[in-house]
């Protein structure tokens, strides 16, 4: 039987157990995938700790995205083939040797992209793309501030911002992380572990920043809001700093600005067509060389606790991936 990481009670990643599980049944419109790699996301840490918006029943297998090879097709699947290399959004859990996925949540892996890169592609790039295009309406020539700029989603926001023609200011917690952000297109950098974010923003963008991409929250959100431009937009997508910020409505009034949310996973339910379009646009950008996915760590499935530790301890840049099979 295939092995999988199971969560039987909420808690730290050390409580996850690697165990044999029965194969998932294959239904109409689904494909079975031999998983070769699965990527970690910050939301995975929240899910296994019971802090996410959705709480699956026990036992469950976490993991949102994976890449592998199709081994079987369900009834009605015509656009995918057995033996095809694919990336997938796995509602039934990606951290397993074998999974079953709705065919509509599967994309072929382009030639030249390896499994580890493909596994970490959809969620991070998809989140940043819809946040900056559909929600923030980022325009060429505008100034974009990316908080947590070397992380899984932050680094993709830097790249997509540059691809859209923006001036990108990256903010991160060390010079080394800023070096990574600059290597992926950032024009300016702020080390907010050593520099005052609010003060440096006033120097780099005296009229304020047009768009803020924020997966961090806390005091960093507060400083960014104080430095938002007239008609600026802040996209809130996560709270890695631990504190969910409270927005003073009077600042929205006097600055004529907007705070917008982005819950990327909800697009699968509410607008799957746009989700598919977005991923197609991103793969086109990758094929043009405008996106360069960065995987800082690829570890075996059995080393999952260390992988989660790298993510939660903010020691990783780009994506952390579990290799399988």
């Amino acid at each position: 039987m295939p092995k999988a990481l199971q969560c039987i009670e909420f808690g730290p990643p050390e409580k996850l157990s690697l165990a044999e599980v029965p194969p998932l049944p294959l239904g109409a419109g689904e494909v079975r995938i031999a998983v070769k790699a699965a990527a970690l996301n910050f939301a995975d840490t929240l899910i296994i700790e019971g802090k996410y918006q959705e709480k699956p029943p026990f036992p469950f297998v976490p993991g949102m995205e994976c890449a592998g090879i199709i081994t079987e097709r369900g009834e009605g699947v015509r656009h995918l083939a057995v033996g095809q290399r694919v990336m997938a959004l796995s509602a039934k859990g990606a951290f397993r040797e074998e999974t079953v996925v709705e065919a509509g949540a599967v994309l072929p892996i382009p030639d030249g992209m390896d499994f580890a890169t493909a596994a970490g592609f959809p969620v991070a790039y998809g989140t940043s793309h819809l946040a900056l295009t559909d929600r923030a309406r980022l325009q060429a020539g505008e100034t974009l501030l990316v908080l947590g700029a070397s992380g899984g989603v932050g680094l993709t926001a830097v790249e997509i911002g540059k691809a859209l023609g923006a001036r990108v200011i990256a903010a991160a917690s060390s010079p080394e992380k800023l070096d990574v952000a600059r290597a992926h297109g950032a024009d300016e950098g702020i080390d907010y572990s050593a520099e005052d974010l609010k003060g440096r923003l006033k120097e780099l963008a005296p009229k304020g920043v047009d768009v803020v991409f924020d997966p961090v929250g806390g005091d960093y959100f507060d400083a960014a809001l104080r430095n938002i431009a007239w008609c600026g937009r802040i996209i809130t997508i996560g709270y890695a700093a631990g504190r969910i910020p409270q927005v003073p409505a009077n600042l929205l009034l006097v600055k004529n600005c907007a705070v917008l949310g982005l819950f990327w996973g909800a697009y699968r339910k509410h607008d799957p067509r746009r989700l598919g379009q977005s991923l197609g646009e991103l793969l086109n950008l990758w094929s043009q060389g405008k996106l360069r996915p960065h995987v800082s760590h690829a570890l075996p499935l059995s080393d999952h606790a260390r992988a989660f530790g790298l993510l939660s301890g903010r020691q990783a840049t780009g994506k952390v991936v579990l290799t399988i099979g």
Side-chain angles (χ1 to χ4, degrees):
M1 288 195 295
K3 291 182 179 180
L5 277 184
Q6 281 193 314
C7 183
I8 58 174
E9 62 177 317
F10 292 130
E14 290 79 11
K15 287 195 172 184
L16 295 173
S17 59
L18 185 58
E20 291 186 343
V21 294
L24 294 167
L26 181 69
E30 296 180 329
V31 295
R32 190 181 306 279
I33 298 173
V35 179
K36 299 299 182 183
L40 275 65
N41 290 280
F42 182 69
D44 293 317
T45 66
L46 300 179
I47 290 171
I48 65 176
E49 292 173 359
K51 299 176 181 178
Y52 198 59
Q53 298 97 317
E54 301 168 358
K55 295 178 175 60
F58 299 118
F60 66 89
V61 176
M64 298 180 173
E65 55 185 346
C66 63
I69 299 172
I70 294 177
T71 59
E72 190 178 359
R73 298 188 305 179
E75 182 181 350
V77 179
R78 298 288 181 267
H79 66 289
L80 299 167
V82 171
Q84 191 170 15
R85 299 187 327 128
V86 293
M87 62 181 78
L89 300 172
S90 181
K92 298 176 183 177
F95 300 153
R96 57 170 83 229
E97 293 177 335
E98 176 188 282
T99 192
V100 170
V101 181
E102 293 180 5
V106 175
L107 287 171
I109 298 175
D111 293 341
M113 182 182 287
D114 59 41
F115 286 120
T117 298
F121 191 89
V123 172
Y125 278 107
T127 297
S128 296
H129 187 252
L130 287 177
L132 295 177
T133 57
D134 287 37
R135 301 298 286 148
R137 307 287 181 180
L138 180 67
Q139 303 297 309
E142 289 189 315
T143 297
L144 167 67
L145 168 66
V146 179
L147 301 175
S150 70
V153 289
L155 201 57
T156 63
V158 169
E159 290 191 330
I160 292 169
K162 287 304 295 182
L164 293 173
R167 175 194 178 216
V168 178
I169 301 173
S173 60
S174 73
E176 294 77 17
K177 290 181 178 180
L178 287 178
D179 287 343
V180 174
R182 287 191 182 95
H184 285 258
D187 299 289
E188 308 282 354
I190 301 174
D191 176 2
Y192 47 54
S193 69
E195 300 177 281
D196 175 60
L197 178 60
K198 184 178 176 181
R200 283 289 288 141
L201 281 174
K202 288 192 177 202
E203 294 174 8
L204 294 173
K207 295 183 179 180
V209 294
D210 300 294
V211 174
V212 178
F213 181 90
D214 180 21
V216 181
D219 294 343
Y220 306 104
F221 176 97
D222 298 341
L225 179 59
R226 297 284 175 178
N227 285 272
I228 197 75
W230 170 259
C231 291
R233 292 86 74 200
I234 296 183
I235 307 299
T236 176
I237 66 164
Y239 312 104
R243 178 174 67 84
I244 299 174
Q246 303 298 306
V247 181
N250 62 309
L251 282 183
L252 305 184
L253 185 153
V254 298
K255 288 178 173 285
N256 204 46
C257 65
V259 177
L260 305 165
L262 187 283
F263 178 21
W264 183 78
Y267 275 78
R268 294 185 65 180
K269 175 182 177 181
H270 297 288
D271 198 351
R273 180 193 61 82
R274 177 58 188 138
L275 182 66
Q277 283 181 342
S278 171
L279 291 172
E281 291 167 19
L282 286 164
L283 287 173
N284 283 335
L285 288 173
W286 179 86
S287 68
Q288 296 168 26
K290 294 182 179 179
L291 305 179
R292 295 182 294 113
H294 177 62
V295 176
S296 66
H297 296 83
L299 302 172
L301 186 61
S302 58
D303 209 1
H304 60 273
R306 182 184 168 215
F308 273 101
L310 290 166
L311 185 66
S312 60
R314 302 181 192 179
Q315 300 172 48
T317 54
K319 296 291 287 189
V320 177
V321 171
L322 293 173
T323 56
I324 303 169

